C-alpha cells in the first residue's frame, strides 16, 4: 500500500508535466514488466521492445490514469495486452490464421519453457542474484534481518521495528546500510 | 535524470533518503522535503536499489536489461501524442478466454431453463 502511494506521487508529477518522474516509475517496474512480457515472447530483443513499447504506451495514456487501481496493475494490463497483440500481429504476418487468447497463453507458456536467454544473459542474471544473496549471508544479523523482512516479506518499517524491538529510525538505517553494502558488491555488474 | 537536485534539510544522506522513498515510507523523513530524486547520481542509486529488490524477489528476468529505462527516457523526450480514447479503450479491453465464449451458450440455456422452471 505504501508503495502505491509513492507510485501515485510519481504519476501525479508526470501528469503535471515532469517527464523525469516517469524514469523512476520505469526503473521501479522494468524488471517485473520485462519478466512478464518474457512469458509471452520467446525472443529476448522482442521482449525488450515490447516492454519498452508498453512503457511508452503507458506514458502516452498516463493522463487517463486516475489512480482507481495501483499503477502496477494498470501497466501490467497494458504490457500483457501489448504482448498479446504483438503475438497476434506476428501470427497474421506469417499467415497461420487467427489465434484465440487462451491459445496464445498456452503457446507463450510453451515458448517460456524453452531455452530463453543467451548463456551470457543467463549468466549475468545468475551472477547478480548470487552476489546479492552472498552479501546478505555475510551481513551482520541485524542488517540481514531488516533487509529480509523488508524486501522478501514486504513488511513496513513499523512492523519491522515491532519484530526487532528497535526504533523505526534504526530500521530505516539498517535497511539502508544493507542496501549500500549490496550495491557496493553489485557495482561491477551494473556499471 | 538531469535537472534540479532534491533539497535536503536533515543529516540523512541522499542515498538513505532514496532507500526510504523506495519503501514508500516518506513520512519517516523528518524535516525533509519529499521531492523525488532526480539528479543523475540519485537516479543510479534508485536504479541499483531496485536491481537488489528484483534480485531478492526473484523478479530479475532472464534478459537482464538494466537500460530499459534509458531507451524509454529517450523515446519520451520528444512530444509524443497523448493516447486517444479509442486507442486507450482498445488497449485496456479485456478479452475473455476462448473457453468462456465456447460455453457461454450452454450457461445461457441453463439460466433460461431455470427461469422457465421457476415460472412454472
Amino acid at each position: 500500500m505504501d508503495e502505491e502511494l509513492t507510485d501515485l506521487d510519481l504519476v501525479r508529477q508526470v501528469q503535471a508535466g515532469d517527464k523525469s518522474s516517469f524514469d523512476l516509475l520505469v526503473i521501479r517496474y522494468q524488471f517485473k514488466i520485462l519478466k512478464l512480457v518474457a512469458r509471452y515472447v520467446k525472443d529476448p530483443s522482442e521482449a525488450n521492445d515490447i516492454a519498452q513499447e508498453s512503457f511508452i504506451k503507458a506514458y502516452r495514456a498516463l493522463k487517463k490514469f486516475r489512480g482507481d487501481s495501483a499503477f502496477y496493475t494498470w501497466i501490467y494490463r497494458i504490457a500483457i495486452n501489448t504482448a498479446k497483440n504483438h503475438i497476434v500481429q506476428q501470427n497474421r504476418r506469417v499467415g497461420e490464421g487467427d489465434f484465440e487468447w487462451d491459445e496464445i497463453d498456452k503457446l507463450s507458456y510453451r515458448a517460456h519453457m524453452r531455452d530463453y536467454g543467451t548463456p551470457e544473459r543467463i549468466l549475468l542474471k545468475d551472477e547478480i542474484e548470487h552476489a546479492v544473496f552472498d552479501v546478505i549471508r555475510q551481513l551482520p544479523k541485524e542488517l540481514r534481518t531488516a533487509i529480509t523482512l523488508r524486501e522478501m516479506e514486504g513488511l513496513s518499517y513499523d512492523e519491522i521495528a515491532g519484530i526487532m524491538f528497535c526504533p523505526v529510525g534504526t530500521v530505516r538505517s539498517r535497511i539502508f546500510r544493507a542496501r549500500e553494502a549490496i550495491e557496493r558488491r553489485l557495482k561491477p555488474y551494473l556499471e | 535524470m538531469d535537472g534540479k537536485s532534491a533539497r535536503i534539510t536533515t543529516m540523512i544522506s541522499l542515498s538513505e533518503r532514496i532507500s526510504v522513498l523506495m519503501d514508500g515510507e516518506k513520512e519517516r523523513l523528518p524535516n525533509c522535503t519529499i521531492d523525488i530524486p532526480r539528479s543523475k547520481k540519485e537516479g543510479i542509486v534508485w536504479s541499483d536499489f531496485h536491481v537488489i529488490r528484483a534480485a531478492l524477489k526473484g523478479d530479475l528476468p532472464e534478459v537482464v536489461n538494466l537500460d530499459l529505462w534509458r531507451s524509454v527516457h529517450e523515446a519520451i523526450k520528444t512530444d509524443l501524442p497523448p493516447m486517444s480514447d479509442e486507442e486507450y479503450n482498445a488497449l485496456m479491453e479485456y478479452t475473455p478466454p476462448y473457453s468462456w465464449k465456447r460455453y457461454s451458450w450452454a450457461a445461457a440455456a441453463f439460466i433460461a431453463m431455470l427461469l422457465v422452471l421457476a415460472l412454472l
Side-chain angles (χ1 to χ4, degrees), chain B residues 6-53:
Chain B
R7 288 166 286 139
I8 289 285
T9 55
T10 68
M11 295 301 287
I12 299 172
S13 71
L14 286 174
S15 300
E16 183 164 0
R17 199 172 65 86
I18 290 167
S19 172
V20 176
L21 278 176
M22 73 177 280
D23 287 333
E25 303 261 2
K26 65 190 177 195
E27 68 275 16
R28 304 295 175 200
L29 294 169
N31 306 318
C32 179
T33 60
I34 55 162
D35 287 352
I36 302 302
R38 61 189 67 201
S39 74
K40 192 174 178 184
K41 188 183 166 200
E42 288 172 288
I44 290 169
V45 173
W46 175 272
S47 174
D48 290 355
F49 284 177
H50 277 88
V51 173
I52 296 169
R53 172 168 289 177

Side-chain angles (χ1 to χ4, degrees), chain A residues 9-24:
Chain A
D9 287 341
L10 293 169
V11 168
R12 297 287 178 245
Q13 296 227 14
V14 183
Q15 286 172 335
D18 176 13
K19 287 183 180 181
S20 66
S21 291
F22 195 71
D23 293 340
L24 303 178

Side-chain angles (χ1 to χ4, degrees), chain A residues 19 56 59-60, chain B residues 72-81:
Chain A
K19 287 183 180 181
I56 293 168
Y59 176 78
R60 288 181 54 222
Chain B
V72 176
H73 175 83
E74 286 303 313
I76 65 172
K77 253 184 184 173
T78 54
D79 284 330
L80 295 172

Side-chain angles (χ1 to χ4, degrees), chain A residues 33-48:
Chain A
I33 294 297
L34 199 53
K35 192 165 182 169
L36 174 72
V37 170
R39 281 168 46 197
Y40 291 85
V41 182
K42 187 173 70 116
D43 181 65
S45 65
E46 265 182 59
N48 193 57

